[in-house]
Amino acid sequence: MSKKIQAIRGMNDLLPADSQIWGFLDNTINNLLLSFGYKYCRTPNVESTETFSRAIGEVTDIVEKEMYTWKDNNGDSLTLRPEGTAGVVRMMIEHNLPREGIQKVFYNGPMFRHERPQKGRYRQFHQVGAEVFGASDAKIDAELISITDSLWKSLQINAQLEINSLGSAASRASYRETLTGYFSDNKDRLDEDSSRRLKTNPLRILDSKNKDLKVLIAEAPKMIDHLDRESNEHFKSLKNYLDHLEIPYKVNPKLVRGLDYYNQTVFEWVSNELGSQGTICGGGRYDGLVEKMGGNPTPAIGFAMGLERIALLIHDKSKQLISDRPHLYFLSMGESAHFESMKISRQILEVMPNITITNDITIGTLKSQMKKANKSGADYALILGEEELAKNVLGLKPLKGQGVQQSIELEGIIQHLQEIL
Ligand code: ATP
Ligand code: MG
């Protein structure tokens, strides 16, 4: 036997047994976003490296150490997308979409980051994200948060909302100086990463996961105390909306998010059921990014949620949340019955597309097929043998204790199934 080939560490198969949760998640999120007027879009999994390095920022975890990047045959530097916003911004600019008015879009797909794999952290993972271009009022910030809040409610997920404001570009610049001063005064307490970032991007130090820096970071000057008047108003307005919508939140002055492009509103939803991988959704405003990427100045805001972490949270209550498709197992005995069973299945499914019919293909005895029917988890067995064919009827046997076997006229079978399923 030759050596088995294995999947790459941190890149997982979705096994058929687990796919129901994912189908359910995709449908639920799709419907929710469509109902709020967001349109689906899809960008490629691969973009030129510059799309990400320019958007996300050179001095970030993602660009510094997490991207899968390689040289194409012609020498172009390409990257597997580590997140979705950069590509959507590139798409907006390339197709001049913000010119047509406010754009509300969402995407759903795989992202790739070279991280240390652990529960809730993978090298290929999946995100749904929503982005809005052309709106600067805090009402849209509140709408995005309220959409995610509705999602947790419908999935019965318990998550806490944390918000913060990073202010305008100008107020951030002066805050940056204050912060540089503070961390320079405490230089000997910084680790290697943070010492480097002190020169390149001191805000990033606030995002450090090193526990030794916890106290130093907690005592650092806070952006929220250095906001300009306009950012203050914007933040206040967002909080008013959230109060009015009765969405509880905590202001977390340390929340800066791992990407460079944010300004004003940033937010995260955190579950305390996932250990240190507790953030299930993060987002924020990025008013300067479209211009930085070569487009006309366009205010924008978005969020991204990690589907693996959400799937972990709903795994144990999936039976409560997801209703199974009605399932029939079709047994047939004899050549003519095999032909006929396929035809009848098709006729039923044309009228009832939301049920599942498993057509037995083993061509075995009634007994052996019935064994498979019982094992399949189906609700009913449909039985077609020579005798039924001759009488123009179908046997219908409940498999989950809902009564005894009946004989149903072939002509009336669809109507009968519609009544019982
Ligand atoms: P973290 O702090 O957990 O590394 P992040 O700030 O890097 O998260 P974002 O870039 O904001 O994450 O991505 C949004 C969401 O995508 C996260 O809140 C999380 O749910 C999910 N996510 C991010 N990285 C991974 C990963 N490697 N594996 C699984 N899910 C992830
Ligand atoms: Mg990360």
Side-chain angles (χ1 to χ4, degrees):
M1 227 193 309
S2 355
K3 192 168 162 263
K4 269 192 277 181
I5 302 175
Q6 288 187 325
I8 295 165
R9 211 162 86 87
M11 302 201 178
N12 302 315
D13 297 310
L14 171 61
L15 299 178
D18 302 326
S19 61
Q20 200 186 18
I21 283 191
W22 283 81
F24 164 75
L25 260 185
D26 283 347
N27 285 340
T28 308
I29 299 172
N30 262 8
N31 276 333
L32 180 65
L33 284 159
L34 290 170
S35 70
F36 276 87
Y38 289 66
K39 292 207 171 92
Y40 178 71
C41 67
R42 184 171 60 210
T43 63
N45 287 356
V46 177
E47 299 260 356
S48 59
T49 304
E50 202 194 347
T51 306
F52 306 111
S53 53
R54 219 200 295 176
I56 299 168
E58 294 284 355
V59 193
T60 54
D61 278 348
I62 293 182
V63 174
E64 278 182 338
K65 47 191 183 206
E66 294 175 359
M67 294 204 304
Y68 286 92
T69 295
W70 71 97
K71 282 257 188 289
D72 202 8
N73 289 345
N74 61 3
D76 293 344
S77 181
L78 304 182
T79 293
L80 276 176
R81 62 177 182 188
E83 56 95 56
T85 303
V88 173
V89 169
R90 196 256 323 124
M91 175 193 86
M92 284 287 155
I93 298 169
E94 191 169 332
H95 301 276
N96 223 339
L97 300 182
R99 220 180 44 179
E100 296 164 14
I102 289 178
Q103 299 290 313
K104 292 181 168 184
V105 297
F106 70 100
Y107 59 82
N108 180 348
M111 305 295 160
F112 304 85
R113 296 185 195 176
H114 197 276
E115 302 199 71
R116 194 169 66 78
Q118 52 198 291
K119 188 181 168 202
R121 193 177 293 286
Y122 312 99
R123 290 180 172 173
Q124 176 176 333
F125 60 100
H126 298 78
Q127 285 184 338
V128 168
E131 319 279 356
V132 180
F133 295 85
S136 58
D137 196 277
K139 185 172 181 183
I140 195 66
D141 307 38
E143 177 175 285
L144 285 168
I145 291 176
S146 114
I147 291 173
T148 46
D149 180 63
S150 302
L151 180 63
W152 315 140
K153 288 208 166 83
S154 74
L155 298 177
Q156 298 172 21
I157 285 178
N158 217 326
Q160 284 73 48
L161 173 64
E162 298 187 356
I163 60 172
N164 190 22
S165 175
L166 300 179
S168 63
S171 64
R172 241 171 98 160
S174 80
Y175 171 64
R176 189 184 156 124
E177 276 180 30
T178 313
L179 205 60
T180 306
Y182 171 79
F183 284 124
S184 301
D185 291 343
N186 294 281
K187 221 174 175 162
D188 46 333
R189 292 166 70 186
L190 294 177
D191 61 9
E192 198 187 315
D193 253 2
S194 303
S195 302
R196 194 164 38 83
R197 286 176 173 187
L198 181 56
K199 293 185 202 92
T200 48
N201 193 348
L203 258 80
R204 286 266 65 76
I205 302 177
L206 299 177
D207 199 35
S208 166
K209 292 193 172 101
N210 184 347
K211 289 196 177 69
D212 298 339
L213 297 182
K214 219 172 159 175
V215 177
L216 185 67
I217 290 170
E219 288 167 1
K222 299 179 173 51
M223 181 68 228
I224 201 98
D225 301 325
H226 291 76
L227 291 182
D228 53 298
R229 201 184 55 81
E230 206 185 310
S231 303
N232 237 328
E233 287 302 312
H234 194 274
F235 196 46
K236 224 170 60 229
S237 168
L238 169 65
K239 289 190 284 188
N240 283 340
Y241 274 112
L242 294 179
D243 290 338
H244 192 73
L245 291 164
E246 294 174 36
I247 300 174
Y249 57 84
K250 194 179 101 190
V251 176
N252 175 0
K254 278 188 301 178
L255 184 64
V256 290
R257 311 266 305 118
L259 308 96
D260 253 7
Y261 48 59
Y262 291 108
N263 67 294
Q264 293 191 340
T265 309
V266 286
F267 64 93
E268 280 189 356
W269 285 98
V270 184
S271 154
N272 52 22
E273 288 165 45
L274 289 171
S276 50
Q277 267 62 252
T279 308
I280 51 175
C281 175
R285 189 162 268 292
Y286 50 92
D287 293 333
L289 186 59
V290 176
E291 194 178 6
K292 190 174 167 205
M293 295 288 282
N296 295 322
T298 308
I301 176 166
F303 67 70
M305 57 179 82
L307 295 182
E308 277 77 4
R309 294 184 192 178
I310 297 171
L312 280 171
L313 285 175
I314 63 170
H315 187 268
D316 290 342
K317 43 189 172 214
S318 59
K319 285 266 172 298
Q320 254 159 274
L321 290 167
I322 309 170
S323 46
D324 285 328
R325 290 164 70 92
H327 183 187
L328 306 176
Y329 196 98
F330 207 144
L331 296 68
S332 34
M333 277 69 58
E335 193 177 356
S336 333
H338 282 297
F339 282 108
E340 207 49 37
S341 70
M342 289 187 75
K343 196 167 165 188
I344 298 170
S345 298
R346 265 164 49 123
Q347 287 164 346
I348 297 173
L349 289 177
E350 267 171 32
V351 183
M352 304 176 73
N354 295 322
I355 69 169
T356 296
I357 301 180
T358 304
N359 228 300
D360 190 284
I361 43 167
T362 56
I363 321 219
T365 61
L366 172 64
K367 200 172 155 198
S368 76
Q369 290 188 48
M370 191 52 88
K371 231 178 175 171
K372 293 201 185 74
N374 276 312
K375 232 175 119 183
S376 72
D379 302 293
Y380 290 89
L382 290 175
I383 302 156
L384 188 66
E386 304 292 342
E387 202 186 312
E388 284 83 6
L389 263 184
K391 289 194 201 150
N392 249 332
V393 296
L394 264 180
L396 180 73
K397 183 173 188 305
L399 298 176
K400 293 186 174 161
Q402 326 87 310
V404 293
Q405 181 167 339
Q406 284 175 279
S407 219
I408 313 285
E409 295 281 337
L410 206 47
E411 245 175 36
I413 185 69
I414 292 180
Q415 203 191 338
H416 187 84
L417 289 174
Q418 283 174 322
E419 281 161 19
I420 60 169
L421 294 179

